[in-house]
Amino acid sequence: MSPFTHLFISKSRKINFELSLIIRDLVNVPLVSGYYYVNWKLKNATHTTGSTARVHIKDHQVTWNHPINTMIQLVTNKQQILSTCELKLEIHQKGGKEIGSLSINLSEYAGSGVTTERYLLQDCKYNSTIKLSLRMNIKSDSVNTFQTPPLSRQQIFKDIPSIVHHTTKPIPSKPLLRKSQSAISLPKYCRIHASQEPSPVDLVEQLFAAKQVRLQA
């Protein structure tokens, strides 16, 4: 749906959301040097594009914890299901080389509270994954009801950390994931590290608290 078409949609079908998103980290990068950053794009929002800082890789991991705060206007269909709201991330190594990308539909997470997931990158030959924390709440002045589309779990990547970290437990004889996404397919030098970082809920709550202080000022 183009921005021009969006102008002719009935107000009763439009719903405003407050999006808080944190681009947290990238792991399983089989490289030992270089700076990495993320370009992001979002439609029907007050802030539609941006980039993270350039961060140096350490132990095959890049950590940004980059916050994004914006307003999004979504549209419902006749069944009151929210339209697609694509978030596109492009991960680059400084110098222009693209490591991979990710596209997710934010409408699937509307009104679900704080959600933290790790996603397998698209168009990436390394099995690298990126971690996001997000909260997408309906704005107080929006009274329209809505339904979310079903959550797509095709790229959500949860099972590898449990296999890698808990080495004292036996690894199942059959992989829980497709062969292309299994722990066996990862390079031996790619390890997922458990970092001592704040919880997703704390990060998002801090983000909202800072926003409220700025508004009161």
Side-chain angles (χ1 to χ4, degrees):
M1 183 182 299
S2 67
F4 185 75
T5 305
H6 201 268
L7 296 174
F8 295 93
I9 295 174
S10 169
K11 185 178 180 181
S12 62
R13 294 176 54 198
K14 297 178 181 178
I15 304 179
N16 296 318
F17 290 88
E18 296 178 331
L19 171 66
S20 287
L21 173 71
I22 300 175
I23 302 174
R24 304 191 70 183
D25 60 43
L26 179 72
V27 300
N28 292 335
V29 184
L31 302 169
V32 296
S33 64
Y35 289 81
Y36 298 81
Y37 62 97
V38 181
N39 289 335
W40 58 271
K41 299 177 183 178
L42 184 62
K43 294 182 178 179
N44 301 326
T46 52
H47 297 90
T48 57
T49 60
S51 297
T52 67
R54 274 64 170 167
V55 175
H56 193 270
I57 191 170
K58 182 179 180 180
D59 295 330
H60 309 292
Q61 176 173 332
V62 185
T63 301
W64 296 286
N65 284 327
H66 177 83
I68 300 171
N69 248 334
T70 188
M71 298 296 301
I72 301 176
Q73 187 173 82
L74 301 185
V75 175
T76 58
N77 60 18
K78 293 180 180 180
Q79 290 75 39
Q80 296 184 319
I81 299 175
L82 291 174
S83 61
T84 299
C85 179
E86 183 189 34
L87 170 68
K88 179 67 178 288
L89 305 178
E90 296 175 344
I91 297 85
H92 294 268
Q93 184 179 23
K94 187 177 179 180
K97 181 181 179 181
E98 183 173 321
I99 301 299
S101 62
L102 174 68
S103 294
I104 63 172
N105 181 10
L106 291 177
S107 297
E108 299 173 2
Y109 300 90
S112 299
V114 177
T115 302
T116 296
E117 300 286 7
R118 186 170 291 282
Y119 301 86
L120 181 68
L121 294 186
Q122 301 165 328
D123 304 318
C124 179
K125 57 185 178 181
Y126 302 135
N127 279 331
S128 301
T129 63
I130 191 168
K131 190 175 185 180
L132 306 177
S133 295
L134 66 92
R135 181 167 71 179
M136 192 168 161
N137 285 350
I138 188 170
K139 196 176 179 183
S140 58
D141 60 358
S142 294
V143 295
N144 301 329
T145 58
F146 66 89
Q147 298 183 51
T148 59
L151 181 62
S152 174
R153 295 189 173 274
Q154 183 177 0
Q155 290 179 260
I156 296 178
F157 209 54
K158 287 187 174 180
D159 291 320
I160 280 186
S162 62
I163 294 174
V164 174
H165 286 307
H166 301 291
T167 54
T168 58
K169 296 182 180 180
I171 298 176
S173 57
K174 293 183 179 180
L176 300 177
L177 306 172
R178 296 195 303 272
K179 184 177 180 181
S180 61
Q181 297 180 357
S182 68
I184 298 173
S185 66
L186 286 175
K188 292 182 180 179
Y189 45 78
C190 285
R191 303 186 302 274
I192 297 180
H193 298 271
S195 58
Q196 296 180 348
E197 56 186 7
S199 71
V201 176
D202 291 340
L203 285 172
V204 177
E205 291 297 340
Q206 291 171 12
L207 189 62
F208 267 80
K211 180 181 176 183
Q212 292 297 324
V213 170
R214 290 196 300 271
L215 291 175
Q216 294 174 1

